[in-house]
Structure formats: C-alpha cells, structure tokens
Amino acid sequence: MAKNQRKDDALEADAPDKLTNKQYRKELAKLHVELVKLQEWVKATGAKICIVFEGRDGAGKGGTIKAIMERVSPRVFRVIALPAPTERERSQMYVQRYISHLPAAGEIVIFDRSWYNRAGVERVMGFCTEEQARKFLSAVPAVERTIVESGVILIKYWLEVSPEEQTRRLEARIDDERKIWKLSPMDLKSYSRWYDYSRARDDMFNATDTAWAPWYVAHSDDKRRARLNIITHLLSKVPYEEVPREKIKLPDRQKRHGYEEPEYPYRMVPPKF
C-alpha cells in the first residue's frame, strides 16, 4: 500500500462520525438560544461586532452564515455580500466601500467575503496588480487596529476545505438547479488555481494574523460540525450576558363591538398543497 494511501486511511479512521441531521439540529437549537441572548445583549449595551468570513469557493461560508442568521433579527444581524465594485468605487480608497458597512452601536455585521477580496480573488485572478496586493497586505493591519480601537469586536474566520470536498460541492452545484446560481464563471476559472489561492492565503495569514485581529481557521469538510464549532467559538469571543427580561403575558383581545366579516370577493391563493 502506498504511503499516502496509508496516511489517508489513518486520517479517515480517526475522523469522527458525521453528525446526523437530528443531532445537528438539536445542538444548533441550543446555540440559537445563545445567539438570541447575544443579540439582546448587543442591543442593550450598544456593542459593535464585525464578523468576517473568508475561504475558497465551496468552503461553506454561506451555509455557516445561514445557520447563524436562522433565528436572529436581521435588524441587529446584518449580512454584507458586496457585488463587484462600480467604476466610482474602483476609484476610491480600496477599503472605503467596506468601511461604510461597519457596525454602529447595537449591530452585528457579518461580511460574506470582505476587504480580503484583494488578498484573494483579486490577486489570484489578476484584478489587481502585485504591487496593489502587497500594499493592501501592508496597510490592512493598521486599518483593523483602528477598527478595533474604535470599539468594534472584530472576529475573522477562514474556512478551510479540502480539494476533494471542494470538487464534490462544486460538481453538486452543476447538477442541482437550486444551486446553479452559486456557480459563476469566476468560480470555474478560480477552481483550477488551487495552489495560487494557497499561496495567497499563506501571504494573507503572514501579514494580517495580528494580536488585535487574529485569524481563526475551521476545517469545513464536515459542514455540520464546522457550523457548530464556529458558532460556539464566536459566542466564546464575546463577553455577553443574558439580559433580564420581564415575564411576557399576552393581553386580553378587544371585544368585537358589532364587527362583522365583510362579504368581500378576496382573490385567494389556490390551495395546491
């Protein structure tokens, strides 16, 4: 047996069994309760939290963000997923269009890709020059220090997916009409440049993994475990407390006082199910 095959077999044997959907939903429900507590604490205290998600295409960023957002208020938790920059935005200071989305008091902002586009896709795909990428990597630690010193809790996640699992997920998008929108021409071009992305990631970590804004890496081949681990870690990085709330009781509903339902010809939705 080849050495690499023996290594792969050993890793597979050591890997934990995948969570069943029932187990996953049970643990996620507990974490949703804590995310709501975090939400209420942020509202009460005026805290500002910024969460950055980065990783290769198919690494599971969107699914993790969806799991976080499932039971919280979009008025407190905001997801930012910016399109390609306009001509005007391309003429701005690079981080300018991202800074405008940073949280104000009582907000949690989640970046589904962020200013680190310059260190990743823009650099690998040639949308910026090497000089621009190097200047960005040199400048961004100071920018993030300023963000943190302004009172923002900044948490950065990199989701690490294996080449085999990335291939499986991208191929699944081709065959699933519900997911085909998630596979852009850019995804196809970037798929072949695995090691260019690896080098770009390594440079990014070396330059921007700082004491005030460190990178946290989560292996995401097992999507369910990755989501639970990331949410658990996120909750551990914020010193939130449960905010006391008065016991809620529904008030009495008003009396009819002669009201009658009108005989109006409503246009009803056909009951096909």
Side-chain angles (χ1 to χ4, degrees):
M1 183 183 292
K3 181 179 179 181
N4 287 342
Q5 182 63 49
R6 291 198 300 271
K7 181 179 179 182
D8 291 342
D9 290 345
L11 288 173
E12 186 173 342
D14 292 339
D17 294 334
K18 286 195 173 184
L19 292 175
T20 66
N21 189 57
K22 183 177 180 180
Q23 292 171 321
Y24 168 67
R25 298 306 307 183
K26 180 180 179 181
E27 295 302 321
L28 185 59
K30 297 176 186 177
L31 294 174
H32 282 156
V33 171
E34 295 303 313
L35 285 170
V36 171
K37 291 179 184 178
L38 171 63
Q39 169 184 281
E40 298 306 299
W41 177 81
V42 166
K43 287 164 56 180
T45 62
K48 300 178 288 185
I49 302 175
C50 178
I51 308 164
V52 169
F53 281 99
E54 293 289 343
R56 304 173 196 267
D57 298 320
K61 299 180 294 298
T64 302
I65 292 170
K66 183 178 179 181
I68 293 171
M69 295 295 295
E70 193 171 322
R71 297 291 180 176
V72 296
S73 170
R75 295 179 180 85
V76 178
F77 282 76
R78 293 191 293 112
V79 178
I80 306 299
L82 298 182
T86 64
E87 283 296 325
R88 180 178 183 276
E89 288 171 333
R90 277 194 282 268
S91 71
Q92 295 175 340
M93 180 178 68
Y94 177 72
V95 297
Q96 186 172 338
R97 73 180 187 131
Y98 295 99
I99 288 175
S100 65
H101 294 283
L102 289 174
E107 293 180 347
I108 301 172
V109 170
I110 300 174
F111 280 95
D112 184 355
R113 295 198 183 278
S114 65
W115 46 91
Y116 283 102
N117 273 341
R118 173 133 297 181
V121 64
E122 290 190 14
R123 185 181 190 184
V124 172
M125 301 305 296
F127 296 140
C128 71
T129 66
E130 277 297 306
E131 182 182 5
Q132 287 174 321
R134 286 194 297 270
K135 285 183 176 179
F136 167 80
L137 291 173
S138 175
V140 75
V143 173
E144 290 179 348
R145 182 189 284 273
T146 301
I147 292 171
V148 171
E149 290 178 349
S150 75
V152 174
I153 298 174
L154 177 60
I155 306 171
K156 303 185 304 190
Y157 290 109
W158 175 271
L159 275 62
E160 184 67 25
V161 66
S162 68
E164 297 80 13
E165 181 63 14
Q166 185 196 44
T167 298
R168 190 193 68 78
R169 292 178 185 177
L170 296 185
E171 286 179 341
R173 294 178 184 181
I174 296 173
D175 299 327
D176 190 336
E177 292 187 3
R178 300 168 301 171
K179 299 179 180 178
I180 192 63
W181 63 272
K182 299 173 73 175
L183 193 61
S184 69
M186 187 59 59
D187 295 334
L188 297 175
K189 290 180 182 178
S190 64
Y191 170 77
S192 64
R193 302 187 181 182
W194 177 271
Y195 293 106
D196 287 342
Y197 273 99
S198 295
R199 294 183 184 95
R201 176 204 59 197
D202 297 346
D203 287 348
M204 182 186 76
F205 283 169
N206 286 331
T208 65
D209 185 22
T210 59
W212 54 90
W215 280 103
Y216 297 104
V217 178
H219 289 281
S220 61
D221 279 13
D222 186 330
K223 293 188 290 187
R224 290 172 179 168
R225 289 186 187 277
R227 292 168 190 169
L228 297 178
N229 288 334
I230 289 170
I231 297 173
T232 301
H233 180 267
L234 167 63
L235 291 166
S236 76
K237 302 307 293 182
V238 183
Y240 73 98
E241 298 176 351
E242 186 171 1
V243 177
R245 300 181 66 181
E246 294 183 4
K247 188 175 181 180
I248 299 173
K249 181 182 178 181
L250 290 176
D252 294 334
R253 186 170 282 161
Q254 66 179 159
K255 298 186 182 300
R256 183 182 291 270
H257 294 302
Y259 175 80
E260 298 290 341
E261 292 285 346
E263 296 183 3
Y264 187 83
Y266 296 110
R267 295 173 178 83
M268 302 300 295
V269 175
K272 292 189 175 182
F273 301 96

